[in-house]
Amino acid sequence: MNNSNYFLGIMTAIVGLMMLLAAEPVVQVLVIVLGIFAILSGGWTLAAVAPLSVDRTFKLQCYVRGAVGIVIGLLCVVIPLRVAQFAWQTLVYIFAFYSLAAALVEIPITMTLHKDGFPVKRYVIEIVSTILLALILFFLPSSAGFTIIRVGGAALILAGAAIAFLAWKNRDIIADDAIVRDE
């Protein structure tokens, strides 16, 4: 019997239950995770993307995007730990604005990389997903965000139950006195 599938199902259901019952802390954790992502993305832009070209404009765009990403990321990580609910909604809008601006700045960076012969598929995917994330953050009111978190929690509870059920249904059945012959 594979106990890891049972464990996966139970843990998925527990995360879903947390999302269903405590949507606000889940949103707070998500803002902090987005902040960490912005810090890592800004650091990656400064350390790995900026050196790819000698073009001065390209480097300036990379430095601006990277530095702003690190600053916004730090704000998303530090401020929520210090201030009340008002800051959460403000940070969501700040992060949405940063995401949109970062995607727009990344377009000429990606075009320069493409022109120089570098593969840019991952950057195009990042631009599109960042713009979609920004639009979602801009146009969803905070109450809708909590509703989405709760619906996602309910879906995770159902998924966890399904995983545990399938693990139980597909378990190995061993009988001590049975003989199985392959004909």
Side-chain angles (χ1 to χ4, degrees):
M1 176 164 52
N2 191 352
N3 289 333
S4 64
N5 287 338
Y6 289 117
F7 181 72
L8 176 64
I10 291 168
M11 292 307 296
T12 303
I14 288 172
V15 169
L17 188 61
M18 287 173 37
M19 290 172 66
L20 193 63
L21 298 177
E24 188 172 333
V26 169
V27 170
Q28 293 171 347
V29 168
L30 288 176
V31 169
I32 292 171
V33 168
L34 287 173
I36 292 169
F37 173 76
I39 292 169
L40 294 175
S41 178
W44 174 260
T45 300
L46 291 174
V49 179
L52 292 177
S53 179
V54 295
D55 183 30
R56 189 169 184 208
T57 304
F58 175 82
K59 286 190 177 292
L60 180 64
Q61 290 169 339
C62 287
Y63 293 147
V64 168
R65 184 188 184 287
V68 170
I70 290 171
V71 169
I72 295 295
L74 287 172
L75 288 174
C76 287
V77 171
V78 174
I79 288 178
L81 300 175
R82 305 277 184 236
V83 294
Q85 175 62 32
F86 172 73
W88 290 110
Q89 193 62 37
T90 304
L91 280 175
V92 166
Y93 288 132
I94 289 172
F95 190 79
F97 179 74
Y98 157 72
S99 297
L100 191 58
L104 294 176
V105 168
E106 194 165 352
I107 291 171
I109 292 172
T110 303
M111 291 171 61
T112 302
L113 288 174
H114 180 66
K115 186 174 65 173
D116 291 344
F118 289 98
V120 295
K121 180 180 178 181
R122 117 180 167 81
Y123 297 109
V124 171
I125 292 171
E126 183 180 341
I127 290 168
V128 170
S129 60
T130 303
I131 290 172
L132 289 175
L133 173 67
L135 292 175
I136 289 170
L137 291 174
F138 271 130
F139 294 116
L140 281 181
S142 61
S143 61
F146 289 127
T147 302
I148 290 172
I149 294 292
R150 287 188 175 106
V151 168
L156 282 179
I157 290 171
L158 292 175
I163 291 169
F165 174 75
L166 290 174
W168 172 78
K169 184 178 177 196
N170 296 327
R171 71 190 184 283
D172 294 332
I173 299 176
I174 301 171
D176 290 336
D177 57 349
I179 298 174
V180 179
R181 295 188 184 169
D182 191 335
E183 295 178 19

